[in-house]
Amino acid sequence: LTIQKGSNFATTDVSKELISVMEGISDVEGIDFTILLDQGEYIEQATCSVNSNLIYKAILSVVILFVFLRNFRATFIVGIAIPVSLLFAIILIYISGITLNIVSLGGLALGIGMLVDNSIVVMENIFRLKKEGLSNKEAAIKGTAQVGGAITASTLTTISVFIPIMFIEGFIKEIFLQMALTITFSLVASLLI
């Protein structure tokens, strides 16, 4: 038998359900089956690989931040932006009906590098103002206000690159739209953070 899933269902879910049904059938005497190809298994492995790469990338981003900022507190503050932005992005992904698959997780992995950009720009401006003698609170408020427009424009410019994907037709649109929306959600989250 060759079994194909419908477009509305996840390959891994169909694969698991099918295996459980086939195991139930094999309990009948004289019936046996062998799985020759299970794409759900490969997709599961790829998803786990993307998940681990996502975690490694976040950790590496924080280490690189520490090397350049040379300040544990600043690194911690910027590093917090990564999981909070990812959580916010995952909530938006869930609300929009996108499933966590290789494409959407790949979009999150691509977005991690961009997540810290806004935080770094704001943090550097705050440090500059603190060196000029402002208090922590004043430096934070004034520093964020000074670069707020620039980082908003930069983020919106990056997001606008994905607008043409909405006009693509067919299956390709489904794949790229998921990635574009995932990256957009993570960038919006980083801007808010």
Side-chain angles (χ1 to χ4, degrees):
L1 295 173
T2 299
I3 299 172
Q4 294 180 327
K5 68 166 190 74
S7 62
N8 296 336
F9 302 97
T11 302
T12 53
D13 293 342
V14 171
S15 173
K16 288 175 188 172
E17 186 69 27
L18 188 58
I19 289 171
S20 70
V21 169
M22 295 298 286
E23 287 172 348
I25 293 172
S26 70
D27 291 342
V28 177
E29 195 173 312
I31 296 178
D32 192 27
F33 73 95
T34 302
I35 298 173
L36 299 176
L37 175 66
D38 181 3
Q39 290 182 345
E41 183 181 325
Y42 298 116
I43 291 173
E44 189 82 28
Q45 289 173 354
T47 303
C48 289
S49 175
V50 171
N51 277 338
S52 62
N53 285 338
L54 193 65
I55 292 166
Y56 294 143
K57 191 170 183 179
I59 292 169
L60 185 60
S61 295
V62 170
V63 168
I64 290 171
L65 277 171
F66 184 73
V67 168
F68 284 98
L69 293 178
R70 293 186 198 110
N71 184 316
F72 180 76
R73 194 167 147 196
T75 303
F76 178 76
I77 291 169
V78 175
I80 288 296
I82 295 172
V84 173
S85 295
L86 284 176
L87 180 64
F88 184 77
I90 289 171
I91 290 169
L92 289 175
I93 288 168
Y94 176 77
I95 290 170
S96 67
I98 297 173
T99 59
L100 286 178
N101 53 40
I102 296 171
V103 175
S104 59
L105 288 172
L108 281 176
L110 285 171
I112 278 189
M114 295 182 256
L115 286 178
V116 296
D117 290 350
N118 294 336
S119 298
I120 291 171
V121 170
V122 171
M123 190 61 66
E124 277 297 314
N125 200 39
I126 290 170
F127 277 144
R128 182 184 60 79
L129 292 174
K130 281 176 61 175
K131 285 181 183 177
E132 292 178 3
L134 273 71
S135 69
N136 287 344
K137 183 179 179 179
E138 290 174 327
I141 293 170
K142 189 174 180 182
T144 305
Q146 285 178 346
V147 295
I151 62 173
T152 301
S154 172
T155 302
L156 292 176
T157 302
T158 304
I159 290 171
S160 69
V161 169
F162 299 113
I163 291 173
I165 292 173
M166 294 179 353
F167 302 108
I168 297 174
E169 296 293 328
F171 179 70
I172 300 296
K173 178 181 180 176
E174 289 182 36
I175 292 174
F176 286 115
L177 188 61
Q178 285 186 11
M179 182 177 281
L181 286 174
T182 304
I183 293 171
T184 300
F185 293 155
S186 61
L187 289 173
V188 167
S190 79
L191 182 63
L192 293 175
I193 297 302

